[in-house]
Amino acid sequence: MNGTIRIHVMQIGRVVIDRALPFLEKSFHPVAFSGWFRNPANLLNMPVNAYLIEHPKGLVLVDTGWGAMVRDDQIEYMGEFHLSLNKAVLPEGQAVHEQLAAMGIKPSDLDYVVCTHLHSDHGGGLQHVRDAKKILVSELEYQFGDRDMMIWRDIPFETFKFEPSPYGPQKQAFDLFNDGSIVFVHTPGHTPGIASTLVQANGKAFLMFADVGYARQSWEDMIMPGVCLDPVKARASLEWVKSVASQANCVEAIATHEPTSKPHVITL
C-alpha cells in the first residue's frame, strides 16, 4: 500500500506480575509464574500497550488495555484468582477512552476495534469503546475466551476467521482491508486464537505481537512466556516473530508489555 499509515503506541497503565510469568524460568516452584510464596523482589511493573492505527481506510484500535473499573474494585473486575496473578495500575487519564478523548476521538469515530485475545489487560477497556462501528476478535479466541467475565459481558463482538495466508507460523491470517496493510496473524500458544498485528506500507513493516512474547528480549533470546497453553505452537509463534522482527524493513517489533516502551508514533 502506498498511503501513509500512522500508529500511536498508547500506554494504558501498567501490570504488576512475577517475572516468571513473562519470562519462563527453571524453578523448583511448580507455578513460579503465579508469584505465590515468591520473593517480592521478583515482581515486575510492566506497561500495558494498545495501538491506534490511522489508516486511509479508517481508524483501527488494537486492544484496549485495562478498563477504568480497576480503579475501584479489582476483585470484581477480574476475580480473586486472576488478581492473585497480576495487579492493574491505571492512573487517571490513562484509560483508553480518556486518551482518545484527549486526541479528539470519540468511540463512535473508530471504524474497528480488534482484540488480540480475551485477557483482561488486552480487552478490559472494551466497555469504553463499545460504540465503535465494529468490535472484532478471532472466532477461535471467541470460542475459547471467558465471555461471561463482567468486563466484556454484552460487548457486541463480531468474529473473523483466519484464512490461508503467507503470514505466520500456521500460515493463517485475517487481512482486514484485503490489501496486506493490516494483517492479523494467527500466532497461537499463549491462547488458541491470539493474533499478532502486522502493519505494512511503503516498503516498511511494523509488528505488534501481543503476548507471543513479553519483550524484545523474548524473541532475541527465544525466552518463552511462563504461561503457554500450547508450548510447541508458542515456540513456533515466537520464532515467526523473530523472523519478521529481524527483517531490514521492520521498523519496530513491539510486545504489549515491552518494559522499555514509551508512548510514541510510528509512520509508515
Side-chain angles (χ1 to χ4, degrees):
M1 198 197 83
N2 293 322
T4 298
I5 298 176
R6 286 165 54 86
I7 304 129
H8 300 257
V9 180
M10 307 161 68
Q11 191 171 111
I12 317 296
R14 304 182 72 84
V15 62
V16 180
I17 50 179
D18 189 285
R19 65 173 300 104
L21 195 158
F23 306 117
L24 180 66
E25 63 180 51
K26 294 180 179 179
S27 172
F28 290 112
H29 194 307
V31 285
F33 65 84
S34 68
W36 302 337
F37 309 111
R38 295 256 291 175
N39 191 321
N42 288 312
L43 291 176
L44 298 177
N45 189 314
M46 304 180 80
V48 177
N49 292 333
Y51 311 90
L52 178 68
I53 305 172
E54 294 183 75
H55 189 283
K57 295 181 181 179
L59 276 177
V60 182
L61 178 68
V62 181
D63 283 347
T64 65
W66 300 116
M69 300 82 80
V70 299
R71 296 171 182 154
D72 301 320
D73 190 340
Q74 294 199 18
I75 291 180
E76 183 180 2
Y77 179 82
M78 66 180 78
E80 290 188 18
F81 174 72
H82 286 288
L83 182 57
S84 73
L85 303 179
N86 54 196
K87 293 175 176 58
V89 178
L90 185 65
E92 292 290 333
Q94 287 193 16
V96 66
H97 62 304
E98 295 167 340
Q99 294 198 42
L100 290 173
M103 298 166 69
I105 297 171
K106 303 185 299 293
S108 58
D109 294 331
L110 299 171
D111 294 284
Y112 297 93
V113 175
V114 184
C115 194
T116 60
H117 62 297
L118 293 177
H119 283 169
S120 55
D121 54 336
H122 292 259
L126 283 172
Q127 294 287 354
H128 301 316
V129 293
R130 62 179 301 125
D131 291 335
K133 295 177 181 67
K134 287 182 180 290
I135 298 176
L136 303 179
V137 68
S138 77
E139 185 177 83
L140 280 173
E141 190 67 16
Y142 187 76
Q143 293 169 351
F144 167 79
D146 183 3
R147 300 186 307 279
D148 289 331
M149 286 184 69
M150 178 195 70
I151 53 178
W152 40 69
R153 192 173 297 159
D154 302 323
I155 293 294
F157 284 113
E158 296 183 34
T159 61
F160 62 81
K161 291 184 178 181
F162 293 117
E163 303 287 350
S165 167
Y167 301 110
Q170 307 298 316
K171 301 299 181 186
Q172 291 185 322
F174 170 65
D175 189 333
L176 183 63
F177 295 121
N178 293 311
D179 60 3
S181 60
I182 301 181
V183 183
F184 294 97
V185 181
H186 188 204
T187 46
H190 182 66
T191 69
I194 188 172
S196 294
T197 311
L198 181 63
V199 185
Q200 303 177 111
N202 303 307
K204 296 182 286 187
F206 176 76
L207 179 65
M208 300 167 278
F209 55 98
D211 288 355
V212 176
Y214 281 70
R216 180 184 180 92
Q217 181 186 6
S218 300
W219 62 260
E220 285 185 333
D221 299 334
M222 288 304 294
I223 302 174
M224 299 286 288
V227 177
C228 294
L229 295 182
D230 188 325
V232 174
K233 289 183 177 178
R235 176 166 287 278
S237 293
L238 192 57
E239 288 173 345
W240 178 79
V241 167
K242 184 170 187 173
S243 71
V244 174
S246 301
Q247 293 174 9
N249 72 327
C250 186
V251 299
E252 188 171 353
I254 186 171
T256 297
H257 304 295
E258 169 58 55
T260 63
S261 70
K262 305 287 185 184
H264 62 290
V265 179
I266 299 97
T267 302
L268 301 183

